[in-house]
Amino acid sequence: MQNDSAYEQTASKGSEQPEWLRILPEEPALTWGRMRQWALVLSARRIPHRRQKTEKGWHLLAPPSYLALAEKEIALFEQENRNWPPPAEPPVLADNNLVTLSVLGVLAIFYNVTLMDILAFGHAPVDWIALGNADADKILNGQWWRTVTALTLHADALHLLGNIGIGGFFLVLVCRQLGSGLGWSLVLLSGTAGNLLNAWIYHSDHRSVGASTALFGAVGLLAGIRMVQKRHPLSRGWLWPLAAALALLALLGVGDENTDLGAHLFGFVAGIVPGLLAGRRLRRAGHPSPRVNALLALLALLTVVLAWALALHLSA
């Protein structure tokens, strides 16, 4: 019989030794691949061993004096490699860019609506910015809806185009990973939480508008998902969303007095935890069903509508 290593050769020549015993006899017969793994472990630890072919598979044998050590080493090997290889990453969903582009289109349309002189309740035109901006003091005094409405407002066309052009890329990635309903609901959650954290930190007369908080929330979501999918080596690339966030901070101008750095930073931070939870959910249960995705999309839409309804009601 051909031997696997020098240790087997040496051991097999000792005919004067007692009968060799099967390692882990309670285990079923081994496949060729598993037997080779165990034999390599024993060879690395310089434990004499033999292999034995049977009708059902393979067994490994060791001298009685080495049996306990051999079983210990193999048990340690199995324990350390229990979760290896890691489960495959959840597949990316089919192309659903149309939904994301439609939402961004609605955001652009709403910007044009805010430029119109629309009368509210029969009197003065609606001052959308005044009603919906993320005013830190008012948010902390109960006007929570401003954390949502501020995400739909933009200071000017350039502000809007920057968020749509840059944010669209990351939003598409989020929705391809999670589905449009779950993706957009978590983006909204991250942006809302980012505005709330920003208000809590400032706790003063601070106001901001723009979807960039939710945009950085999308980058945080991707970072959290990636951390779950790629746990080990940095070479696997799970840090790339962090690099993307830093690049976006630089691109959007951290030194500009009109740039709300805090909102960007807290949006990113607020996206990481939901991203981690969503990533774990993908690993364990897969993507949400189309019905669940549709319900989550409807919930996100109703949240925005409710927020603006409360804002307009307050101005009545």
Side-chain angles (χ1 to χ4, degrees):
M1 182 182 296
Q2 183 181 359
N3 293 306
D4 288 329
S5 68
Y7 304 111
E8 287 184 289
Q9 293 175 357
T10 301
S12 62
K13 295 177 181 178
S15 58
E16 71 281 359
Q17 295 182 10
E19 181 181 0
W20 288 36
L21 301 177
R22 179 180 167 188
I23 299 172
L24 295 174
E26 70 277 5
E27 289 283 337
L30 305 175
T31 62
W32 167 260
R34 196 177 187 198
M35 182 274 293
R36 287 286 296 168
Q37 288 181 329
W38 284 16
L40 288 173
V41 171
L42 297 177
S43 296
R45 301 300 294 171
R46 306 187 68 84
I47 299 175
H49 57 281
R50 294 176 180 173
R51 62 188 186 186
Q52 183 182 67
K53 183 71 171 71
T54 69
E55 293 181 357
K56 296 182 179 180
W58 293 86
H59 301 310
L60 281 176
L61 310 176
S65 58
Y66 284 91
L67 182 64
L69 179 60
E71 292 183 341
K72 177 183 177 182
E73 292 297 334
I74 289 175
L76 288 174
F77 170 78
E78 290 293 326
Q79 182 178 0
E80 291 174 358
N81 293 274
R82 183 173 300 165
N83 297 319
W84 186 265
E89 293 182 23
V92 175
L93 292 180
D95 183 16
N96 55 11
N97 297 351
L98 181 60
V99 175
T100 299
L101 295 177
S102 298
V103 174
L104 295 176
V106 171
L107 197 62
I109 293 172
F110 183 69
Y111 170 73
N112 287 283
V113 170
T114 64
L115 300 179
M116 301 176 183
D117 290 333
I118 299 177
L119 299 181
F121 309 106
H123 48 81
V126 176
D127 187 342
W128 298 94
I129 298 293
L131 286 179
N133 71 77
D135 186 313
D137 186 61
K138 291 181 179 179
I139 289 173
L140 295 177
N141 280 283
Q143 295 187 21
W144 61 266
W145 54 85
R146 288 178 177 269
T147 61
V148 178
T149 55
L151 300 174
T152 66
L153 297 170
H154 291 86
D156 51 44
L158 186 61
H159 186 200
L160 171 70
L161 291 175
N163 282 337
I164 289 179
I166 299 173
F169 172 75
F170 295 100
L171 293 169
V172 165
L173 290 180
V174 169
C175 291
R176 291 193 67 194
Q177 288 281 344
L178 303 178
S180 297
L182 179 59
W184 274 104
S185 60
L186 291 182
V187 167
L188 179 63
L189 173 65
S190 302
T192 301
N195 278 335
L196 181 60
L197 284 170
N198 201 37
W200 182 73
I201 291 296
Y202 275 101
H203 207 286
S204 62
D205 187 22
H206 175 80
R207 301 177 181 84
S208 65
V209 295
S212 55
T213 309
L215 157 61
F216 278 89
V219 180
L221 286 168
L222 290 172
I225 294 170
R226 198 71 172 176
M227 288 176 188
V228 174
Q229 291 178 346
K230 302 289 189 181
R231 292 182 179 180
H232 295 295
L234 297 183
S235 58
R236 301 263 180 112
W238 64 262
L239 283 177
W240 77 263
L242 177 59
L246 295 176
L248 279 176
L249 284 173
L251 182 63
L252 295 178
V254 296
D256 189 343
E257 63 180 4
N258 294 321
T259 300
D260 193 345
L261 177 59
H264 295 172
L265 176 62
F266 293 127
F268 174 74
V269 171
I272 292 178
V273 173
L276 289 170
L277 296 177
R280 288 175 63 86
R281 200 274 179 193
L282 288 180
R283 287 171 63 94
R284 293 179 177 179
H287 294 99
S289 66
R291 178 176 296 181
V292 171
N293 252 320
L295 289 174
L296 290 171
L298 179 61
L299 177 62
L301 175 62
L302 290 177
T303 300
V304 176
V305 171
L306 174 62
W308 271 114
L310 291 171
L312 291 170
H313 175 73
L314 190 67
S315 69

